[in-house]
Amino acid sequence: MSPTKNPALDAYIAAAAPFAQPILRHCRKLFHRGCPCLVETIKWGHPSFTLDGKILCYLAAFKAHAAVGFWGPAMHALLKKDRGSIEGAFGAMGRVTSRADLPDDATMLRYVKTAAEFLAAGRSKMVRRAKPKPALPSPADLVTALAGNAAAAGAWKKFSPAMRRDYIEWITEAKRAETRTTRIATTVAWVAEGKKRNWKYEEC
């Protein structure tokens, strides 16, 4: 089947620096050869190629170099294994200044087909790892209450910052002084038994 060309990509390539144009045209052709069902679009200002509505690969042109990339952690791992770590460059091929900087056509086609297989298998999703939250200081009234119970004080020291955070946030979210006092007493009792804040739900 003949690939469906998006005029927006033609315009992007025509506006790119002269050195980048043959790189972009060649990669565009290889992408479609490797996966004829690709759909061309512009994502985040750069040419992207999607399969079933999901990004498979992309191109970009800058003042001094072009970039070629494939989407997803599985492809990133494969390319890192094949080509090593690429530092300081956008895209999996590093800073591409001519077609000579690209892998040979057979390798590029293999990458396209492998990326399509990964996408079909659900291995193209980008996983965002949440940054760990900083530890919260223990409120003075909680510290005092814990100090009065040796078991609770000892367990509290062994709790992870996340486990402590759950209790501290629960206590500091109390709107009334009576509620805060009750929650502190409950915290001391549960911590003395080594229980997490949401231990009840762990047993459901």
Side-chain angles (χ1 to χ4, degrees), residues 12 19-31 46-49 55-62 65-71 75-76 79 83 86 89-99 101-103 107-109 111-112:
Y12 183 96
F19 82 89
Q21 292 182 16
I23 299 170
L24 301 178
R25 291 194 190 98
H26 184 64
C27 289
R28 184 187 194 184
K29 180 175 66 176
L30 288 177
F31 287 167
H46 302 295
S48 297
F49 302 78
I55 297 177
L56 186 81
C57 43
Y58 55 87
L59 300 170
F62 303 101
H65 74 282
V68 183
F70 293 88
W71 195 258
M75 278 304 297
H76 289 182
L79 292 166
R83 302 178 60 79
I86 303 297
F90 175 75
M93 305 300 167
R95 297 173 63 86
V96 181
T97 58
S98 72
R99 283 179 52 177
D101 293 330
L102 295 170
T107 300
M108 284 290 289
L109 289 172
Y111 287 154
V112 176

Side-chain angles (χ1 to χ4, degrees), residues 126-200:
M126 300 298 288
V127 178
R128 297 183 181 275
R129 297 183 178 179
K131 294 182 180 180
K133 296 180 180 179
L136 286 179
S138 300
D141 47 356
L142 173 61
V143 172
T144 300
L146 289 169
N149 185 310
W156 186 256
K157 291 180 180 179
K158 296 178 182 179
F159 273 16
S160 68
M163 292 166 66
R164 294 184 186 183
R165 172 182 288 277
D166 287 342
Y167 275 113
I168 293 170
E169 289 181 341
W170 183 51
I171 291 169
T172 56
E173 287 169 359
K175 297 291 190 288
R176 300 170 58 221
E178 296 84 352
T179 303
R180 182 181 178 105
T181 299
T182 299
R183 289 184 179 181
I184 288 177
T186 301
T187 295
V188 171
W190 286 354
V191 171
E193 297 176 14
K195 294 178 178 178
K196 297 179 182 179
R197 159 76 180 89
N198 295 307
W199 64 272
K200 291 182 179 179

